Amino acid sequence: MTSAIPIMEKGATPTGTLIDIFKEASMGADMLTHVRNFADFAMLNYPDKGGDATLRDHCGAVAERVNELYEGRVLSDRLKRLIAKAEVHDVLEMKDEQGNRLWSTLSMTQAGVPADIAASAWRLMRKPFQKYLDNIHEIASDPDDTLVKIADLDINMGWNRGWVRNPKESFKHKKQYLYPLARLYLQAVATGRIDPSVTSPIAFAMEDESVPARLKNLRILRKYSSDTADYTPKKALPGVNFMRGIVRFAQPQPALAI
């Protein structure tokens, strides 16, 4: 039976005493409830940079989107795990006024968050100096994180997310190029149509015909990826495009790999 969950003050460091108070309040809760309690404890007083009132509101919206996308399409236990990962997917991005991160995967597990969910939060977080599309490529290596990030992108591409608060060029690039491309790339990974160990996000953007021409801006994409391969279009030999069309037509479409 849980008692009232304590809520951390904005920017407060999660000391051992605070974590112990939280764990006692959440004692006896099932896994998903405990993770949701932790999300309340850690994020309810932390502002969201993208437009929601708090970071907790944003993570809750992503968790709801996970449920909308995958309920009835994955087993119940897996769905609970996906929702739990969504509930805390941004917790490692929280910082104090000096720019120090408030939480680590270690302190998350000390608060009772399962280790695989803490590890998921680490994968889903863009690391210092990591380029955006490199992070998307990292996420694509894990099937569950791929599904959570698809839900996160659906929320982030909403018209109300961030336009007023973030006028930076990099954010405009995210909205116009990176978010739509990442969504298409991760969907192709989730359906088994591409293998992320073989195909990078830029390779997918420049070589896959399902990607709209407006997203094939190599100059901009290069700024957000460490992939330096040559994707300059090659002049096709006579008859090559026709034969490629025959091969594509003959290939069966993959089932959703979730």
Side-chain angles (χ1 to χ4, degrees):
M1 186 72 178
T2 60
S3 56
I5 300 300
I7 307 300
M8 291 182 60
E9 294 297 323
K10 176 189 172 183
T13 301
T15 62
T17 300
L18 279 173
I19 289 174
D20 287 342
I21 292 172
F22 161 71
K23 288 173 68 177
E24 183 176 355
S26 189
M27 186 179 300
D30 61 82
M31 181 279 297
L32 181 54
T33 301
H34 182 76
V35 171
R36 282 173 166 159
N37 289 342
F38 170 78
D40 290 346
F41 167 63
M43 293 187 285
L44 263 178
N45 280 329
Y46 196 87
D48 172 47
K49 61 185 179 183
D52 286 309
T54 69
L55 192 61
R56 180 70 185 97
D57 293 323
H58 169 65
C59 289
V62 175
E64 289 179 7
R65 182 59 178 158
V66 164
N67 190 64
E68 291 172 0
L69 287 173
Y70 309 122
E71 185 178 23
R73 304 180 71 189
V74 299
L75 295 176
S76 175
D77 286 347
R78 187 182 183 193
L79 180 61
K80 289 178 182 178
R81 218 90 193 162
L82 291 173
I83 292 172
K85 291 178 178 183
E87 295 280 15
V88 294
H89 76 277
D90 273 348
V91 74
L92 295 180
E93 295 186 5
M94 297 170 59
K95 297 178 181 180
D96 63 18
E97 292 182 354
Q98 288 72 45
N100 302 309
R101 296 194 184 278
L102 296 175
W103 290 91
S104 65
T105 54
L106 176 60
S107 57
M108 287 179 71
T109 57
Q110 289 172 340
V113 176
D116 66 306
I117 293 174
S120 172
W122 174 256
R123 259 187 307 275
L124 288 162
M125 180 188 74
R126 187 160 66 91
K127 320 305 182 291
F129 308 110
Q130 184 182 39
K131 296 184 177 182
Y132 181 83
L133 291 176
D134 293 342
N135 179 234
I136 293 298
H137 202 187
E138 177 188 8
I139 291 168
S141 68
D142 185 274
D144 282 2
D145 292 342
T146 295
L147 299 183
V148 172
K149 188 61 181 179
I150 286 172
D152 185 36
L153 287 164
D154 283 353
I155 299 299
N156 287 339
M157 287 191 291
W159 66 270
N160 60 328
R161 287 289 294 170
W163 283 113
V164 175
R165 295 191 183 187
N166 199 336
K168 293 180 180 178
E169 181 184 64
S170 61
F171 185 78
K172 293 178 181 177
H173 285 167
K174 284 182 179 180
K175 280 283 193 179
Q176 294 172 1
Y177 300 100
L178 302 180
Y179 289 167
L181 174 61
R183 180 63 165 83
L184 289 172
Y185 176 74
L186 293 175
Q187 185 66 35
V189 171
T191 58
R193 194 163 67 79
I194 62 170
D195 181 350
S197 68
V198 175
T199 305
S200 71
I202 284 192
F204 174 74
M206 302 310 296
E207 297 176 351
D208 196 289
E209 293 185 1
S210 70
V211 178
R214 66 181 181 83
L215 300 181
K216 295 179 182 288
N217 190 323
L218 186 58
R219 180 184 63 82
I220 289 178
L221 298 181
R222 288 278 196 213
K223 296 173 65 174
Y224 302 97
S225 172
S226 60
D227 183 350
T228 58
D230 181 13
Y231 295 108
T232 305
K234 305 298 190 298
K235 186 175 181 180
L237 296 173
V240 169
N241 288 336
F242 173 71
M243 291 305 297
R244 284 179 179 169
I246 292 176
V247 172
R248 283 196 303 274
F249 180 77
Q251 290 176 338
Q253 295 298 308
L256 184 60
I258 60 174

